[in-house]
Amino acid sequence: MTHEHDLTCQNIIENLNAYIDGELDDVLCTEIEAHIQSCPDCRIVVNTLKKTIELCKNADSETSLPAETRHRLFAKLNLEDYDKKD
Amino acid sequence: MNENTETFELEALQKRDRAVFAQVLDQNSDRIYRLGLKMLGNVQDAEDILQETFIKAFNNIDQFEGRSKISTWLYRIAVNESLMLLRKRKGNTIQLDAPLETDEGDLIPRQIVDWCCLPEKELMNTETRDHIQEAVKTLSDANRAAFILRDVEGLSTQETAEALDISESAVKVRLMRARMQLREELTAFFAGKMIKETL
């Protein structure tokens, strides 16, 4: 990794979570973005980390409770009369 | 995935109003099922966790004071139930508030490959989905719980900390470890695909 700005690549790793979650103050955020612009390795780490989170979230987005499992849940709790039928 | 509309009457819930119980089930059963599926990796265990969570919640509804969202309270029960089941299987103790490992080596990126340029159909097909599910299973139980709640279910850091009964700083460390480990797993997976394509 290159070291052309005040921040080192190690600084980027230390602040990576907060940067991705938008929890950093504007000054540090700008410095990190400047570093990322000039450091291809850090840019790849940031981009692939963001993409990893996005893919993991999307991989699960279609999971919902199967109808049979839902019926058994309502029955277990003696709430059959409130169970929406298919 | 953010089903955070909590519309029920707390007082009626605490008086064990069945209609309100049913409403809470309707609003939260999908998310608790997903959590069980991700924590335990199979549908039978996920269903057991789902049922146990709501049985415990409704039996102890007087302990819910409405200071947090009911979904956060349910997540907390579900995570504890999941960990108890995993503990039984592994025959050891899993503590979410156990001291964090001091090895920082797992936070250093090892593989630098730009796979973001791959076409969307490569990034999200059945094979990739299966690989992601397997990769999530390789996380430690404590890191997996933090990752699922924060990144998959979309809870805030504070809500995740409440659900896991750990500090916000501990959530952040666990989340970072989980994210970096998953990034390494996916990088190895996609790098392999990119090499195959060039052959």
Side-chain angles (χ1 to χ4, degrees):
Chain A
M1 293 191 181
T2 55
H3 299 267
E4 294 178 13
H5 285 267
D6 292 335
L7 289 179
T8 64
C9 297
Q10 182 58 36
N11 295 145
I12 302 298
I13 300 303
E14 286 163 4
N15 289 292
L16 202 46
N17 239 11
Y19 173 68
I20 283 178
D21 291 336
E23 294 171 352
L24 292 180
D25 62 62
D26 290 349
V27 174
L28 189 50
C29 200
T30 305
E31 285 180 25
I32 286 178
E33 278 163 6
H35 178 98
I36 289 170
Q37 283 301 314
S38 64
C39 178
D41 287 356
C42 280
R43 190 161 62 244
I44 289 172
V45 171
V46 170
N47 289 343
T48 51
L49 189 59
K50 282 182 181 170
K51 200 72 183 172
T52 295
I53 296 165
E54 182 193 323
L55 291 180
C56 290
K57 191 174 176 73
N58 291 344
D60 211 33
S61 61
E62 289 166 15
T63 306
S64 59
L65 192 62
E68 282 306 310
T69 309
R70 178 193 158 86
H71 298 328
R72 285 193 291 270
L73 175 65
F74 274 74
K76 187 89 180 175
L77 294 159
N78 298 319
L79 292 169
E80 295 100 322
D81 44 333
Y82 291 96
D83 187 8
K84 291 174 205 156
K85 298 297 171 197
D86 301 327
Chain B
M1 200 170 294
N2 255 335
E3 305 133 31
N4 281 334
T5 45
E6 298 200 329
T7 50
F8 61 87
E9 290 175 33
L10 180 61
E11 201 178 327
L13 185 68
Q14 286 167 337
K15 284 182 180 163
R16 301 179 179 276
D17 183 308
R18 293 178 72 252
V20 179
F21 273 176
Q23 201 180 342
V24 170
L25 268 191
D26 261 337
Q27 290 172 352
N28 294 280
S29 49
D30 274 355
R31 52 167 65 109
I32 297 301
Y33 180 71
R34 274 197 307 268
L35 175 86
L37 208 50
K38 282 276 177 196
M39 281 302 292
L40 298 151
N42 70 79
V43 292
Q44 186 55 57
D45 286 340
E47 182 168 350
D48 289 347
I49 293 303
L50 177 72
Q51 293 188 358
E52 282 305 310
T53 297
F54 283 104
I55 289 169
K56 282 213 165 153
F58 292 166
N59 285 342
N60 296 288
I61 198 66
D62 49 329
Q63 290 174 20
F64 177 68
E65 296 169 347
R67 285 198 292 250
S68 65
K69 288 181 183 168
I70 195 157
S71 54
T72 308
W73 189 64
L74 291 168
Y75 275 133
R76 186 169 178 167
I77 298 171
V79 167
N80 284 333
E81 289 295 315
S82 301
L83 292 178
M84 266 173 27
L85 191 57
L86 289 165
R87 195 177 298 156
K88 252 189 235 169
R89 296 223 173 112
K90 294 178 181 174
N92 60 13
T93 307
I94 301 157
Q95 288 181 314
L96 284 171
D97 58 352
L100 294 161
E101 310 81 29
T102 50
D103 180 15
E104 293 299 320
D106 51 357
L107 296 182
I108 299 169
R110 291 185 172 81
Q111 302 174 84
I112 311 291
V113 179
D114 189 1
W115 47 265
C116 292
C117 53
L118 282 167
E120 278 300 312
K121 62 176 182 182
E122 290 271 347
L123 289 174
M124 197 35 84
N125 56 27
T126 307
E127 187 192 359
T128 305
R129 268 200 193 92
D130 291 347
H131 188 81
I132 288 171
Q133 283 175 359
E134 290 306 310
V136 170
K137 283 183 196 170
T138 67
L139 299 174
S140 74
D141 297 323
N143 291 353
R144 186 162 72 253
F147 178 77
I148 294 167
L149 292 176
R150 181 75 178 83
D151 280 346
V152 179
E153 291 299 315
L155 272 65
S156 68
T157 303
Q158 186 190 344
E159 288 167 341
T160 304
E162 281 174 20
L164 299 180
D165 198 20
I166 58 176
S167 67
E168 288 188 38
S169 56
V171 169
K172 287 177 183 176
V173 174
R174 297 210 177 284
L175 189 60
M176 187 61 186
R177 293 221 159 101
R179 286 173 170 180
M180 291 302 269
Q181 186 180 330
L182 290 170
R183 194 202 75 88
E184 292 292 332
E185 292 277 347
L186 287 193
T187 298
F189 175 72
F190 287 123
K193 279 178 165 279
M194 289 164 83
I195 290 168
K196 270 187 204 165
E197 277 177 13
T198 57
L199 291 176

